[in-house]
Amino acid sequence: MKTIDEIRSEIESFQVENAENLEQFRLQFLSKKSEIQSLFGQLKNMAQEDRKEFGQLVNDLRDLAQNHYNGFKSVIEAAADKKTTLIPDITRPATQQSVGSMHPISIMMNEVRRIFEDIGFSAVEGPDIEDDWHVFTALNFAEEHPARDMQDTFFIELHPDVLLRTHTSSLQVRTMEKQQPPIRVICPGRVFRNEAITSRAHCIFHQVEGLYVAENVSFADMKQTLLYFAQRMFGDEVRIRLRPSYFPFTEPSAEMDVSCNICGGAGCNLCKHTGWVEILGCGMVDPNVLENCGIDSTKYSGFAFGLGIERMTMLKYRTNDIRLYFENDLRFLQQFKAATR
Ligand code: DAH
């Protein structure tokens, strides 16, 4: 039988390095079948006068073993913790983080904004739900003017004066009502028209309106500004052409086409087989419009333009169906990750 001293030195020299060693330690010194327990068993065979002293020694021995055990246990547990939280398995494949992308219409809106902001325009926004004054009357659409029919309007049924804006030109009015020239703004926004949905047209789409009003603004200023824009957007090799047109709020008025970069001019359904795609309407702000908004038309002149974002996005990203921009099919949208900024 081992002596108390022998057991004590065994406890003190016992090396615990892992969970298995720890369990061996427990079995050897702390379990019911341990040597320390059998020492307790000897107590009953002892003379009364020896019992107290021997009992105290064995108690101390058991406390020593228990203390060692507790110490070892906390070291082993801390090491196990560290293994899982601080030192992960660096060879494990990383969990996939899915990265979102911006909608192509937003990408295009931001790009248009950036180009015009670089030449001194600042962006303003306004309400989608408008009144007749800001969408038509202030913009020189006469009450019975057939031009009102050019834009198939969604009216809010309960109130004939309340409608969804058919163009962002309403922002021209709102801006000029608030501010005297010089004015240099662009107005990005969503517009609505009661139109049949096809690959080329939709009842909801986006425009960016531009307005420059100051002293001595000329048609040549407008043409140069729009050429600069087209070249930054589509590259230096793009060609533009201005065709005479009609808008109630500009005089003279024009529509601007850019060379079709989908078919390279050979003809496709986006350019209606002409090699050119219309991207905006423009013109010199009609003096009546300036006056309607409280601006002196004898002192100031200006140009304005309204460009269609979907059409430009289709050109830039070479897609030939406008409906793709509204269906939100992830297989389509995820292709714009690289262009998201
Ligand atoms: N508002 C016109 C449309 O929606 C586009 C437009 C044409 C805007 C000429 C203008 C402009 O500012 O001067 O078709």
Side-chain angles (χ1 to χ4, degrees):
M1 189 116 208
K2 286 178 191 162
T3 66
I4 287 178
D5 283 338
E6 280 173 327
I7 296 175
R8 184 183 296 116
S9 73
E10 275 184 353
I11 290 172
E12 280 166 349
S13 60
F14 201 104
Q15 298 286 327
V16 170
E17 272 158 15
N18 51 36
E20 253 172 60
N21 301 156
L22 183 68
E23 179 60 1
Q24 281 162 10
F25 184 95
R26 191 188 66 79
L27 290 173
Q28 190 169 335
F29 301 108
L30 294 170
S31 69
K32 289 222 171 65
K33 296 196 179 122
S34 68
E35 288 160 334
I36 296 174
Q37 282 300 323
S38 56
L39 288 178
F40 278 123
Q42 288 176 26
L43 275 174
K44 59 178 181 299
N45 308 324
M46 285 188 159
Q48 189 63 37
E49 61 276 19
D50 296 328
R51 267 192 204 173
K52 195 168 173 223
E53 193 189 352
F54 188 78
Q56 188 58 51
L57 288 172
V58 182
N59 263 337
D60 290 347
L61 193 62
R62 194 205 43 212
D63 290 347
L64 179 76
Q66 188 66 53
N67 285 341
H68 271 244
Y69 179 80
N70 293 348
F72 289 140
K73 188 164 180 256
S74 58
V75 171
I76 299 273
E77 281 174 356
D81 256 350
K82 247 192 208 149
K83 235 187 199 142
T84 53
T85 58
L86 296 183
I87 317 168
D89 177 1
I90 55 168
T91 62
R92 236 175 79 190
T95 36
Q96 282 265 331
Q97 296 284 334
S98 79
V99 178
S101 54
M102 275 169 69
H103 193 282
I105 297 298
S106 306
I107 295 172
M108 181 54 81
M109 288 278 226
N110 288 346
E111 198 160 339
V112 172
R113 227 166 134 144
R114 209 171 302 132
I115 293 173
F116 282 107
E117 281 172 354
D118 282 355
I119 53 172
F121 286 76
S122 38
V124 296
E125 289 185 22
D128 289 7
I129 302 173
E130 267 290 7
D131 53 31
D132 181 274
W133 170 257
H134 291 95
V135 175
F136 295 123
T137 303
L139 287 166
N140 206 31
F141 285 77
E143 189 68 48
E144 298 303 327
H145 199 293
R148 282 183 196 253
D149 300 337
M150 278 165 53
Q151 316 213 338
D152 288 315
T153 309
F154 286 118
F155 288 93
I156 308 284
E157 263 178 32
L158 297 175
H159 208 304
D161 188 38
V162 182
L163 46 99
L164 299 181
R165 67 178 173 200
T166 55
H167 55 185
T168 44
S169 304
S170 52
L171 267 314
Q172 286 189 33
V173 180
R174 288 191 176 274
T175 305
M176 290 191 285
E177 282 175 341
K178 281 203 287 268
Q179 193 187 329
Q180 283 294 308
I183 294 171
R184 221 173 336 180
V185 290
I186 52 163
C187 323
R190 186 183 288 152
V191 300
F192 309 85
R193 287 188 200 174
N194 192 358
E195 278 196 48
I197 297 172
T198 67
S199 66
R200 301 180 78 250
H202 207 284
C203 59
I204 303 176
F205 56 100
H206 300 79
Q207 290 183 333
V208 174
E209 187 80 10
L211 176 69
Y212 178 37
V213 184
E215 285 180 46
N216 300 320
V217 177
S218 71
F219 196 92
D221 294 332
M222 180 180 82
K223 197 173 160 188
Q224 207 55 37
T225 304
L226 295 176
L227 175 63
Y228 165 81
F229 166 73
Q231 287 180 331
R232 274 206 47 192
M233 179 59 76
F234 297 108
D236 286 344
E237 65 289 348
V238 75
R239 284 167 300 142
I240 66 166
R241 72 175 186 189
L242 288 170
R243 282 179 290 103
S245 184
Y246 173 76
F247 299 102
F249 36 95
T250 43
E251 183 57 38
S253 306
E255 282 170 321
M256 187 175 99
D257 300 341
V258 294
S259 44
C260 181
N261 75 340
I262 291 198
C263 61
C268 65
N269 73 339
L270 183 68
C271 65
K272 289 201 246 168
H273 303 277
T274 62
W276 294 94
V277 183
E278 180 202 321
I279 60 165
L280 59 85
C282 59
M284 302 307 291
V285 182
D286 193 299
N288 286 343
V289 176
L290 296 175
E291 295 293 339
N292 284 344
C293 302
I295 289 179
D296 182 352
S297 64
T298 60
K299 187 167 177 208
Y300 297 108
S301 57
F303 66 76
F305 56 89
L307 55 91
I309 292 292
E310 277 74 7
R311 196 62 73 68
M312 289 210 311
T313 312
M314 288 165 82
L315 257 186
K316 177 115 180 173
Y317 294 111
R318 299 175 193 228
T319 52
N320 58 5
D321 195 323
I322 196 173
R323 291 168 290 198
L324 288 167
Y325 296 111
F326 297 92
E327 283 164 356
N328 288 330
D329 186 329
L330 285 179
R331 291 168 302 178
F332 175 66
L333 296 180
Q334 279 170 349
Q335 295 179 46
F336 293 89
K337 275 189 186 158
T340 298
R341 270 181 277 174

